[in-house]
Amino acid sequence: MARRSEALTRARIVDAAVELLDAAGEGGLTFRALSQRLATGPGAIYWHVANKDELLAAATDAVVDAALTDEPSAASPQDAVRAVALGLFDAIDEHPWVAGQLSASSWQATTPRIFESVGRQVRALGVPQREWFTVASVIVQYILGAAAQNAANARILGPDVDREAFLGTVSTTWEELDPEDYAFTRTVADQMREHDDREQFLAGIDLVLTGVTTTHPPR
Amino acid sequence: MARRSEALTRARIVDAAVELLDAAGEGGLTFRALSQRLATGPGAIYWHVANKDELLAAATDAVVDAALTDEPSAASPQDAVRAVALGLFDAIDEHPWVAGQLSASSWQATTPRIFESVGRQVRALGVPQREWFTVASVIVQYILGAAAQNAANARILGPDVDREAFLGTVSTTWEELDPEDYAFTRTVADQMREHDDREQFLAGIDLVLTGVTTTHPPR
DNA sequence: ACCTGAACACCGTTCAAGT
DNA sequence: ACCTGAACACCGTTCAAGT
């Protein structure tokens, strides 16, 4: 499997890192495991990459870049936002470790790309210019925040656990909470069991977009 | 400083863990550092706490619990949501490591408390019952997501970096992006330099709440 | 029941030495 | 210029031994 004939490049290292992260999670990325997969010593990697943080940032960048390559070209700004949001949602769902990174240090390099995609649609919605930064930030925060929490749940689940069984367990736990302290949570326990993550994420996007267009109606 | 006369309890361990996390971040919490601070051996801690994950979850719980103790008792459901949101925002701002935990494994234990607080206000807003879970989830996702990203920025900053200088640097970086690929981001670079995190967070809450009341107008 | 602290397996990172 | 792999300092966790 290991193609030891090919040169050790930064790109090959990042690709292998993504594979390791996908396969075994954040704890699975090890300089030893990585160097074994690349058929070298651990020290070799340090010639191409400064340290583990930089490697994680590069891996995150690679995933987000891939998720954002498809140009929106949608019917409405709303649809374009939905497309960007779903692209990131799916990418994070497929690579759950990305979530932790996006709220970590790679923020600086990766976020402008997301911000730009969303911001153009904010402009297209007719939001007044002095609100552009605020509104675009709020939408990006919701997208990344919701996707991150979704990924966290997926991480608890693990790849081998049955989703329905898990939701059933949580739902049952909720139903057994103190009736007085958790009146609301108990009531919606069955809604939680039957909800669809993707649908709910889109419902959130739509709520935010409705808030935006209501607060800043297009002239 | 170390009160070696007192018994080693789970509560004292968790308190010391919070202090270490506050002082030195996620990397600062070490069983060795912790046991030194508590004047014992590392093994002693394992009698009270199963492992590091459980310890982190307990520390997170402690912080969130403290942030949610003040009952809202606000004029409107909107104000109550703002109060809960700001309480969590400030708690995460003060204990940035909490953000990473909330999107990690402690989700199960801690989230119902937040969910209940927000959910009661969703009910009070007159949202139809079959939408309760969705709407409450969206609000909680925004609160935790936005607070987490804010904390991430604070973590990059570190406690000793000048905030204004940092924002100035980021703003300048944005202004130097490619004019075609990053037309929007460049335009709002100065807005980013002058924004206030707390205000922007509240603006997001209000956008979401407006979206909720517009989509589900109170009868 | 609760604490001690040495020991184990593992990790990120460095660096002299090689090609 | 690029790679090797032993070595260093450190970590989470265990466990026989103590009180």
Side-chain angles (χ1 to χ4, degrees):
Chain A
M1 268 310 163
R3 298 159 296 176
R4 71 188 67 186
S5 52
E6 295 194 24
L8 188 61
T9 62
R10 196 183 151 95
R12 274 190 68 214
I13 292 172
V14 172
D15 283 351
V18 169
E19 283 172 33
L20 271 177
L21 286 161
D22 287 347
E26 201 128 3
L29 180 59
T30 287
F31 276 82
R32 274 164 249 264
L34 191 57
S35 63
Q36 194 183 351
R37 197 184 190 96
L38 294 167
T40 24
I45 297 167
Y46 280 89
W47 206 93
H48 300 272
V49 157
N51 53 40
K52 192 170 182 178
D53 278 349
E54 190 188 301
L55 182 57
L56 274 166
T60 304
D61 258 12
V63 169
V64 172
D65 265 30
L68 292 179
T69 38
D70 307 335
E71 269 302 303
S73 81
S76 66
Q78 278 90 344
D79 279 346
V81 171
R82 286 188 196 104
V84 173
L86 271 187
L88 284 168
F89 183 88
D90 289 339
I92 294 179
D93 192 52
E94 226 179 314
H95 313 279
W97 49 270
V98 167
Q101 280 327 103
L102 279 177
S103 3
S105 54
S106 67
W107 197 88
Q108 290 195 62
T110 311
T111 311
R113 292 213 46 189
I114 304 173
F115 192 78
E116 179 74 22
S117 278
V118 170
R120 289 179 180 217
Q121 310 312 322
V122 169
R123 196 175 51 193
L125 279 172
V127 171
Q129 174 154 5
R130 59 172 168 64
E131 296 293 332
W132 282 0
F133 174 75
T134 299
V135 171
S137 295
V138 168
I139 297 176
V140 171
Q141 280 173 344
Y142 176 73
I143 293 176
L144 295 183
Q149 276 154 268
N150 201 71
N153 297 356
R155 233 175 309 172
I156 303 174
L157 226 68
D160 45 331
V161 183
D162 179 29
R163 182 193 144 86
E164 266 184 64
F166 172 75
L167 286 185
T169 309
V170 174
S171 173
T172 305
T173 309
W174 282 17
E175 278 162 354
E176 283 161 0
L177 290 168
D178 180 277
E180 198 168 326
D181 290 349
Y182 291 94
F184 178 85
T185 304
R186 285 169 52 102
T187 305
V188 298
D190 58 326
Q191 292 179 16
M192 118 73 91
R193 175 165 36 221
E194 280 152 29
H195 87 283
D196 178 273
D197 287 336
R198 236 174 113 97
E199 260 173 40
Q200 210 223 253
F201 175 71
L202 275 184
I205 297 283
D206 286 348
L207 280 181
V208 175
L209 288 175
T210 300
V212 171
T213 51
T214 303
T215 307
H216 307 293
R219 286 170 301 160
Chain B
M1 269 310 161
R3 298 159 295 177
R4 71 188 67 187
S5 53
E6 295 193 24
L8 189 63
T9 61
R10 196 183 151 96
R12 274 190 68 212
I13 292 173
V14 172
D15 283 351
V18 170
E19 283 172 33
L20 271 177
L21 286 161
D22 287 347
E26 200 128 4
L29 180 59
T30 287
F31 276 83
R32 275 165 248 264
L34 192 57
S35 63
Q36 193 182 351
R37 197 185 190 93
L38 294 167
T40 24
I45 297 166
Y46 280 89
W47 205 92
H48 300 273
V49 157
N51 52 39
K52 192 169 183 179
D53 278 348
E54 191 188 301
L55 182 56
L56 274 166
T60 304
D61 257 11
V63 169
V64 171
D65 264 31
L68 292 180
T69 38
D70 307 335
E71 269 301 303
S73 81
S76 65
Q78 277 91 346
D79 278 346
V81 171
R82 287 187 196 105
V84 173
L86 271 186
L88 285 168
F89 183 88
D90 290 339
I92 294 179
D93 191 53
E94 226 179 313
H95 312 280
W97 49 271
V98 167
Q101 280 328 104
L102 280 176
S103 3
S105 55
S106 66
W107 196 88
Q108 289 194 63
T110 310
T111 311
R113 291 215 45 189
I114 304 173
F115 193 79
E116 178 74 21
S117 278
V118 170
R120 290 181 179 215
Q121 310 312 321
V122 169
R123 196 175 51 193
L125 279 172
V127 171
Q129 174 154 5
R130 58 172 169 63
E131 295 293 331
W132 281 1
F133 175 76
T134 299
V135 171
S137 294
V138 169
I139 296 176
V140 170
Q141 279 173 344
Y142 176 73
I143 293 175
L144 294 183
Q149 276 155 266
N150 201 71
N153 297 356
R155 232 176 310 173
I156 302 175
L157 226 68
D160 45 331
V161 183
D162 178 30
R163 182 194 144 85
E164 266 184 63
F166 173 75
L167 287 185
T169 309
V170 174
S171 173
T172 304
T173 309
W174 282 16
E175 279 162 354
E176 284 161 0
L177 290 169
D178 180 279
E180 198 169 326
D181 290 349
Y182 291 93
F184 178 86
T185 304
R186 284 168 53 101
T187 304
V188 298
D190 58 326
Q191 293 180 15
M192 119 74 89
R193 175 164 35 220
E194 280 151 29
H195 87 283
D196 178 274
D197 287 336
R198 235 175 112 97
E199 261 173 40
Q200 210 221 256
F201 175 71
L202 274 184
I205 297 283
D206 286 348
L207 279 181
V208 174
L209 288 176
T210 300
V212 170
T213 50
T214 303
T215 308
H216 307 292
R219 287 168 299 160

